[in-house]
Amino acid sequence: MQRLAQVCLGFCLSLSSAISTAEPEAVALLERMGTAAKKLNYDGVFTYQMGRKVQAIRIIHSANENGEVERLLSLNGAARELIRTNDHVTCIFPEGKRINVDRRPLGRGFPSDLLSRMSSATPYYAITMGNNGRVANRKAKQLVVSPVDDYRYGYHLWVDKETDLLLQSDLLTDKGQVLESFTFSSINLNVDIPELALKPQIEGQALSWNRNQTEPVSQRRAKEKGLSSSLWQVGWLPEGFALVAEQSRRKAHNDKVVEQRVYSDGLSSVSVFIEQKAAHHHLEGGSRMGAINAFGVMEDNHYITAVGQVPGHTVEKIVRSITMAE
């Protein structure tokens, strides 16, 4: 699944009642967390768990007047390394391994990526202080992020009391079930990071991209490639969701057109795929893997599918609202 596009909505959307009920202390802490993740030097190990899948990852982060350099390396499973210099990202796979085009090969980018998305979505989430706790042998404060409706998930965050660095994040259903979790098991803060520690240690194939790169919201390129403009309309989206990226392409093996649109509130995202009917099997009904839900139907000789890190009833309602324009 491609890395979903990020978008800053906080300054261009009117604030809902969620932001007015947010605790000032909690909002201030969220802002400090974002600064800490970017400005501190740290070297630690965290786990990323989604369902039964668990990844152990070492993160080495250095910051100076030129910005950030971050190296992540997998500690279990397939060997991979990811180097991020500000917004430029390179993932390295061992020789002989097939390159995974997933732009999140080591999880979702913990912790700075989550925080940048969360700060842009505050109109649609209430933010309050929770209980004190302990993570990675450090005292932590809890931040509770609750959605304003049941069409998206909430978060519980644990923040280091001394430095304001995010130490743990749990993605939760409205019933409190943990669907996805990032947790530091050990971390060294405010340490000197030698330049060698930020260099890749494995040799292999590399895949690079800019993490803020998105597909422009325009039909021009589709027309230039000989692809027809969309005749499909999305009739319903959760409040705050807007179109942030789209693309159309032809599949090489059957020449069928596939249209993809990405909708986001800044934190949660949903991708909608519209594909001409083909011989291969296609999802009909619902499917779930951890926090990711999908729902598909066949309509007017097209397969329509929505996939996103939102509850199952959200993707179903979006799909069932999509109709052919008259």
Side-chain angles (χ1 to χ4, degrees), residues 3 11 69 168 318:
R3 189 183 184 282
F11 295 102
V69 181
Q168 180 174 332
I318 291 173

Side-chain angles (χ1 to χ4, degrees), residues 262-319:
V262 181
Y263 299 90
S264 177
D265 66 358
L267 178 59
S268 302
S269 297
V270 175
S271 286
V272 172
F273 298 89
I274 301 170
E275 177 183 355
Q276 293 173 307
K277 183 179 179 181
H280 64 80
H281 175 72
H282 188 273
L283 172 68
E284 293 192 56
S287 177
R288 173 182 162 186
M289 185 178 71
I292 305 297
N293 279 285
F295 189 85
V297 298
M298 193 172 78
E299 184 77 24
D300 288 334
N301 211 36
H302 284 73
Y303 293 123
I304 302 175
T305 309
V307 182
Q309 194 180 38
V310 293
H313 62 266
T314 304
V315 288
E316 179 177 358
K317 189 170 182 178
I318 291 173
V319 166

Side-chain angles (χ1 to χ4, degrees), residues 3 5-6 87 89 113 116 209-215:
R3 189 183 184 282
Q6 297 176 16
D87 288 326
V89 180
D113 187 42
S116 64
W209 64 91
N210 187 305
R211 69 174 185 170
N212 291 326
Q213 182 178 356
T214 66
E215 291 288 339

